[in-house]
Amino acid sequence: MRLVHLDLKGAAPRVSYLEQVFPLLSQLGANGVLIEYEDMFPFKGELEILRSPYAYSEEDIERIQQLAEQHKLEVVPLVQTFGHVEFILKHEKYQHLREVERFPNSFNPHVPDTLALLKSILSQVIEKHRRSTWIHIGADEVFHLGEGMDSKNWMSHNKGDVGTMYLKHIKEVLGFLTAQYWGLQVLMWDDMLRKISVGALRAPHRLLGTVALVARACPTAVPFLTKYVESGFKAVWFASAFKGTTGPAQAWTPLSYHLKNHLSWLKVMQAVPRLAPLRLQGVVLTGWQRYDHYSVLCELLPVSIPSLAICLQTLVNGGFTEDTKRKVLDVLGLESVQLEQSTCEGRGAFPGVEIYHMVEQVNGHLKESILKALEEESAIKGWFSPYHRKRQFGNPRNMESFGSKVLKLHEDWESFVRDLRAQLERIYFPDTVEEWMEENIDPYLDQLRDLVRDYR
């Protein structure tokens, strides 16, 4: 299976955009989507507090699944069940479930309410995904596990360590899923298991028959895979990345970096037959949209579609050959791609291509053109400094020498930004548009806006 990860904890697109994207995913060789809803799921009743103001409706969730079915994409929902639960634990109502009282990252596994809450979250999500045969329970990066008082007491009473405590909680989650939803197959990230010994993994937890691990550590995955074979795991998945791993505030996707990531995974795949009886069930192409619930947005989906196309086609064809490249360019309506420069030539014909080109302008020119005007114009430096502006003291003779140039630059960028905002609003909800503009446009354009205001 080849699943494309849709990380909805930031910049969740409108369903109308997914209508355009799903056929493209299918055409490029994906046969599933891993949907990490977080606060975009329409939780009900007790859980309604978890919903974002722009959460999808129940009709939206149904529509997403119909679209997926239409384009032969399996939907795999992802529900975090241990760490990365900031969207839950930030609420006062659930603060008592934190492992460490000050941090909203991870659940305290010893409070009975934790499992009770997880059961209702999982139930609501699974009820709305009756066609799905898989669910992903997350379970990565359980920061500060073992640091809470309850955990310290548990470890001293049970002569246990963080690893056994982690496994105990995961086993409870899996126990609930297997009892309640017979036949539902479970995925989880592997990183917390890397530090746990083979002995502990083999122990009476019997995790092995009910869960498939998704390994994220490439290209160092082989030693871990050997360990998982020894521990009795039968199935493994790999998780590559097409965006969202090169910096929390990354705005432009580095193509060659993500291609290399996939080429490394292809090498690991060649080693899998030597690890029998372990078999490779699938690959998740992750596309993180935030590093966590509190961090800024990284690359938007339309900006990353060339990267996704290159990565998916590389997996389908077992490498990035001239033929692969040709197919990518044809499907995306592009003329050429420069991997090292991370640029594409041609108008493009993929969903959100306008945003792709406009973000390229922002990324390449906005900051640079404004700083150049403000820093390098000697009439501004000499006769319109912050000191002059603060005291409204200046000679029109000198000011007029740079005025028309600065006013034109300001007008050009403001008109560009109006167009960009209109394009973003077609795909995204208002909160995403505001956040992206405030993070990527305002820090530079505000300097120019202020200068023009003072000039006038």
Side-chain angles (χ1 to χ4, degrees):
M1 288 179 78
R2 287 182 289 269
L3 306 183
V4 174
H5 173 221
L6 298 174
D7 177 17
L8 305 182
K9 64 178 166 283
R14 297 175 185 274
V15 177
S16 55
Y17 184 62
L18 296 179
E19 285 176 10
Q20 301 167 50
V21 170
F22 280 13
L24 177 68
L25 299 184
S26 189
Q27 198 183 355
L28 288 167
N31 50 22
V33 281
L34 175 69
I35 306 185
E36 184 162 355
Y37 287 106
E38 214 189 64
D39 60 1
M40 286 302 290
F41 187 81
F43 292 107
K44 308 191 291 221
E46 273 289 279
L47 304 178
E48 200 171 327
I49 190 172
L50 302 178
R51 292 166 67 152
S52 149
Y54 297 100
Y56 293 143
S57 65
E58 291 187 12
E59 293 71 34
D60 290 335
I61 301 293
E62 181 52 35
R63 177 79 185 118
I64 289 169
Q65 292 173 91
Q66 285 170 355
L67 287 168
E69 207 168 357
Q70 211 176 316
H71 298 289
K72 302 191 172 44
L73 299 169
E74 169 98 29
V75 175
V76 181
L78 186 154
V79 177
Q80 283 287 9
T81 53
F82 211 163
H84 280 300
V85 283
E86 299 92 341
F87 81 104
I88 301 169
L89 299 182
K90 70 178 182 180
H91 295 286
E92 209 174 315
K93 178 177 179 178
Y94 298 120
Q95 213 167 331
H96 67 292
L97 303 181
R98 295 176 177 187
E99 169 67 358
V100 172
E101 205 184 331
R102 294 202 322 284
F103 306 140
N105 298 68
S106 308
F107 276 126
N108 172 347
H110 311 285
V111 185
D113 285 2
T114 292
L115 196 62
L117 175 64
L118 279 173
K119 286 176 178 177
S120 53
I121 290 175
L122 286 163
S123 302
Q124 288 199 15
V125 172
I126 294 167
E127 290 306 323
K128 289 276 169 274
H129 291 82
R130 280 312 200 175
R131 306 178 186 76
S132 295
T133 52
W134 294 89
I135 187 164
H136 194 311
I137 60 165
D140 57 320
E141 296 181 343
V142 188
F143 298 135
H144 307 290
L145 182 60
E147 291 175 24
M149 275 323 293
D150 289 349
S151 288
K152 285 177 177 167
N153 293 336
W154 187 90
M155 288 190 288
S156 68
H157 288 145
N158 296 277
K159 310 222 175 328
D161 58 10
V162 171
T164 47
M165 200 161 58
Y166 174 82
L167 290 174
K168 178 178 173 290
H169 175 73
I170 296 301
K171 186 188 167 204
E172 287 171 348
V173 172
L174 291 172
F176 165 71
L177 289 171
T178 46
Q180 205 68 24
Y181 303 100
W182 193 85
L184 186 64
Q185 299 177 78
V186 186
L187 299 173
M188 66 182 275
W189 301 122
D190 79 314
D191 53 284
M192 292 295 290
L193 299 181
R194 289 179 216 151
K195 305 178 195 78
I196 299 175
S197 69
V198 170
L201 287 173
R202 289 201 78 115
H205 292 291
R206 306 242 312 283
L207 282 173
L208 319 176
T210 57
V211 67
L213 298 182
V214 188
R216 304 200 293 192
C218 182
T220 51
V222 178
F224 293 121
L225 297 179
T226 310
K227 173 182 168 173
Y228 300 149
V229 176
E230 288 166 11
S231 306
F233 285 97
K234 302 282 187 288
V236 71
W237 290 55
F238 294 156
S240 57
F242 70 92
K243 79 179 190 81
T245 55
T246 53
Q250 185 80 22
W252 194 250
T253 311
L255 297 179
S256 73
Y257 176 91
H258 291 286
L259 172 59
K260 283 174 190 152
N261 173 260
H262 285 77
L263 295 173
S264 305
W265 274 118
L266 285 172
K267 287 202 180 83
V268 178
M269 285 175 200
Q270 287 160 5
V272 172
R274 300 201 297 275
L275 296 166
L278 191 70
R279 58 194 181 83
L280 177 62
Q281 269 183 332
V283 182
V284 176
L285 293 90
T286 62
W288 304 100
Q289 190 57 78
R290 294 189 196 280
Y291 277 29
D292 67 34
H293 187 76
Y294 282 82
S295 69
V296 297
L297 295 169
C298 34
E299 310 102 298
L300 296 173
L301 186 53
V303 168
S304 309
I305 282 183
S307 174
L308 175 57
I310 288 167
C311 297
L312 254 175
Q313 277 293 301
T314 297
L315 291 180
V316 170
N317 296 305
F320 190 63
T321 60
E322 275 306 311
D323 285 353
T324 313
K325 187 171 167 179
R326 188 73 267 142
K327 163 104 195 236
V328 166
L329 295 174
D330 288 348
V331 171
L332 300 184
L334 294 165
E335 282 155 31
S336 68
V337 58
Q338 263 38 58
L339 291 172
E340 292 306 326
Q341 289 77 35
S342 299
T343 55
C344 299
E345 280 68 53
R347 285 187 55 182
F350 55 88
V353 67
E354 303 84 0
I355 290 175
Y356 175 86
H357 288 308
M358 293 176 102
V359 172
E360 186 173 24
Q361 289 296 313
V362 170
N363 197 54
H365 304 299
L366 176 71
K367 180 178 177 177
E368 173 187 0
S369 74
I370 290 173
L371 293 180
K372 192 173 173 206
L374 301 188
E375 300 292 322
E376 291 178 20
E377 181 64 66
S378 68
I380 295 180
K381 278 184 104 68
W383 284 269
F384 201 56
S385 72
Y387 182 88
H388 290 94
R389 288 163 61 183
K390 191 174 168 186
R391 289 162 183 77
Q392 298 191 338
F393 175 71
N395 184 341
R397 176 181 172 272
N398 304 96
M399 287 167 66
E400 281 163 15
S401 71
F402 66 80
S404 56
K405 197 159 119 190
V406 165
L407 291 174
K408 169 108 175 64
L409 182 69
H410 173 245
E411 203 172 300
D412 289 350
W413 275 118
E414 289 289 12
S415 130
F416 173 88
V417 165
R418 275 194 298 277
D419 294 347
L420 172 57
R421 179 183 283 275
Q423 292 295 343
L424 287 170
E425 283 168 349
R426 286 172 52 188
I427 293 179
Y428 293 112
F429 298 104
D431 57 343
T432 300
V433 178
E434 282 317 308
E435 181 180 355
W436 198 89
M437 297 299 242
E438 281 187 34
E439 289 288 348
N440 296 281
I441 302 284
D442 294 351
Y444 312 110
L445 197 47
D446 280 351
Q447 297 177 47
L448 187 58
R449 287 167 175 152
D450 291 349
L451 184 95
V452 166
R453 181 198 62 215
D454 293 349
Y455 173 86
R456 290 201 166 116

